[in-house]
Amino acid sequence: MVAGCPKCSVRYRVDPDRIGPDGAKLRCTKCSAVFLVRVPRADATPSKVQPVEPEPQVEPEVEPEVEFDSTRLVVIADPDEARGKSTAEAIRSWGLSAILVHDGVEAMLSIQRTLPTAIILDAALPKMFGFQVCEVVKRNESLRDTTVILVGAIHHQEGYRRDPTELYGADVYIEDPDLPNGLNALLRDAGMDVSLPETGDTASAVEVPTPPQVVAPPATGPAIDEDPERTAERERAHRLARIAVSEMVLYQPEKFDQARRDGVLEQALGLEIQEARALLRQRIGEEVRAESDFIIDELHRVAKERGEQA
């Protein structure tokens, strides 16, 4: 039924079942007047009731969706709001675009919507772990060339790490104390055009680590075909080898150094080498893989470098 305020004429829809035989008092929300409402008797002549116009619906204000250039876009998934904001600001200062989210589900939605060039995933994301997001990304054909950087906590490096034979599909690992400056070299290694902010004071510029230089073995046969696609694939093979070996050093430094000192690197790290080679077989063509044993070359290069630093 419809009841009208006798003072300001505002009409209200009232459930007759909630009105007793003696009526019910209502307070007008517009003018605060209190008035009595009764249910009409069944034998009463029905009066013509003016239709009550529904209140206008207010559409929520929606921000226009921002268009991103996916070739310059990095999605950051970090549950730590302050750290994530710092990482996003650093990446933007390098001339790139950044989207910051705080859980694994948000990360998946943003990644599928924007198809970024690089993704930075904290291993301990709520709702969906970072390595789970990584595995979904690497199964997606439209994201096969996307670089995934998995961030682990150095004090809990085993907390979200499964059996060492499983690499999650991530392209590289980094510890959270290395954020954000340690990302600069990794994003450049992913093919992104990263620059340092112009401050006008070169002495105060932030020093960003540069990736290790890969020393190619001396040529012993005919010159390698310099086809641009093959050259790019060869560079990708070197990059994947660096990533795989850096993962071995990062998570098993004592085992790596002991094997280096004993001269048994290939035997001690046989399982990890097999996994790294499997990764190359998935992403690098047979012709390029036949040129060199990229994993072993990088393994010995890093071992020599660590031996010189010891």
Side-chain angles (χ1 to χ4, degrees):
M1 62 175 284
V2 177
C5 174
K7 185 174 181 181
C8 66
S9 301
V10 172
R11 288 184 170 84
Y12 298 91
R13 291 191 185 277
V14 182
D15 184 356
D17 293 336
R18 302 183 62 181
I19 300 175
D22 297 327
K25 291 183 179 181
L26 299 182
R27 182 183 296 275
C28 178
T29 58
K30 182 176 181 181
C31 66
S32 299
V34 178
F35 56 97
L36 182 65
V37 177
R38 297 180 185 274
V39 178
R41 295 195 308 273
D43 57 350
T45 303
S47 59
K48 186 177 291 186
V49 179
Q50 295 294 327
V52 178
E53 295 184 4
E55 295 184 5
Q57 297 295 317
V58 179
E59 292 293 332
E61 185 177 343
V62 179
E63 295 185 9
E65 189 169 315
V66 180
E67 293 291 333
F68 290 100
D69 177 1
S70 63
T71 63
R72 303 186 61 78
L73 178 62
V74 181
V75 169
I76 306 157
D78 194 328
D80 186 315
E81 187 173 343
R83 185 181 62 185
K85 183 177 179 181
S86 174
T87 300
E89 289 175 351
I91 288 173
R92 292 178 185 126
S93 75
W94 299 336
L96 304 175
S97 300
I99 294 176
L100 175 62
V101 297
H102 300 294
D103 65 57
V105 173
E106 285 184 315
M108 280 307 317
L109 292 174
S110 295
I111 292 165
Q112 291 171 344
R113 178 172 56 87
T114 61
L115 304 180
T117 294
I119 306 166
I120 301 168
L121 297 170
D122 189 278
L125 285 174
K127 298 185 180 180
M128 190 174 181
F129 285 145
F131 61 75
Q132 293 174 315
V133 175
C134 177
E135 290 173 336
V136 174
V137 167
K138 290 304 180 180
R139 288 198 299 266
N140 189 324
E141 185 65 25
S142 62
L143 295 166
R144 62 173 299 183
D145 294 325
T146 300
T147 296
V148 178
I149 301 171
L150 193 62
V151 181
I154 195 166
H155 299 297
H156 304 283
Q157 66 183 33
E158 300 301 327
Y160 300 94
R161 181 171 170 77
R162 298 174 300 175
D163 189 277
T165 62
E166 301 179 44
L167 300 175
Y168 313 110
D171 295 294
V172 68
Y173 296 88
I174 189 173
E175 301 293 355
D176 57 26
D178 296 325
L179 297 176
N181 288 341
L183 294 168
N184 188 288
L186 300 180
L187 295 177
R188 278 191 282 116
D189 211 25
M192 304 190 79
D193 184 12
V194 180
S195 60
L196 286 175
E198 296 182 4
T199 62
D201 179 8
T202 56
S204 62
V206 178
E207 182 180 354
V208 178
T210 56
Q213 297 297 316
V214 177
V215 181
T220 57
I224 297 174
D225 180 15
E226 292 304 323
D227 175 69
E229 291 186 5
R230 186 162 176 172
T231 299
E233 189 170 21
R234 188 180 305 116
E235 291 174 354
R236 188 159 60 250
H238 282 300
R239 179 171 66 87
L240 289 173
R242 291 199 301 273
I243 289 167
V245 174
S246 68
E247 194 268 348
M248 297 178 199
V249 176
L250 180 62
Y251 284 101
Q252 303 181 83
E254 294 180 1
K255 179 180 178 181
F256 187 95
D257 287 333
Q258 186 61 50
R260 174 185 57 79
R261 288 190 293 268
D262 294 343
V264 293
L265 272 172
E266 295 181 35
Q267 295 86 343
L269 298 170
L271 192 58
E272 290 81 356
I273 292 170
Q274 289 179 29
E275 287 295 322
R277 285 172 173 164
L279 182 64
L280 253 68
R281 284 196 297 272
Q282 292 174 8
R283 304 193 187 183
I284 305 298
E286 183 177 356
E287 290 185 359
V288 172
R289 284 189 284 111
E291 294 177 5
S292 173
D293 192 332
F294 293 94
I295 301 299
I296 297 300
D297 289 348
E298 178 65 12
L299 190 70
H300 288 294
R301 187 196 69 78
V302 172
K304 180 180 178 182
E305 184 179 85
R306 288 176 71 85
E308 291 172 350
Q309 294 174 355

